[in-house]
Amino acid sequence: MLYNWRIRTRIYRRYGELMAVERAMLSQAAPEQREALLRRVDEIEKAVINVKIPSSFADEVYGLRAHIHFVRDRLARRIAT
């Protein structure tokens, strides 16, 4: 039980970072700030890819990566407009 909790905290930590980026995206209007947020999303994704997670948690990791792509797409659309 403790082991599962420790593994999930690695995943949930990245969700917290992703949510912070999304909140900042909604509140900041400057294109430079949006580009910095896009770089931060890239950093979060790299961290998720590089973290050691057992394959039994792969569904949660892939879910997180799908959410990362969702936020990246929303942010890219805001940059384009």
Side-chain angles (χ1 to χ4, degrees):
M1 195 164 148
L2 180 62
Y3 175 76
N4 288 342
W5 176 80
R6 295 213 4 107
I7 298 298
R8 283 196 172 95
T9 58
R10 294 178 191 173
I11 297 167
Y12 296 153
R13 181 178 308 128
R14 302 303 173 198
Y15 267 114
E17 294 172 12
L18 189 61
M19 287 176 13
V21 168
E22 194 170 20
R23 279 190 298 269
M25 172 183 63
L26 295 174
S27 67
Q28 299 186 9
E32 306 84 35
Q33 294 169 328
R34 291 184 191 150
E35 290 174 12
L37 291 173
L38 193 56
R39 285 191 300 273
R40 181 65 189 130
V41 170
D42 291 339
E43 292 170 6
I44 293 169
E45 184 173 33
K46 286 178 188 174
V48 169
I49 291 169
N50 291 327
V51 71
K52 301 273 187 193
I53 300 286
S55 59
S56 60
F57 292 90
D59 59 333
E60 294 182 42
V61 173
Y62 281 108
L64 173 57
R65 291 186 65 197
H67 292 130
I68 289 170
H69 288 288
F70 172 76
V71 172
R72 180 184 287 124
D73 290 344
R74 283 187 66 194
L75 190 53
R77 280 184 292 201
R78 286 182 178 262
I79 290 172
T81 60

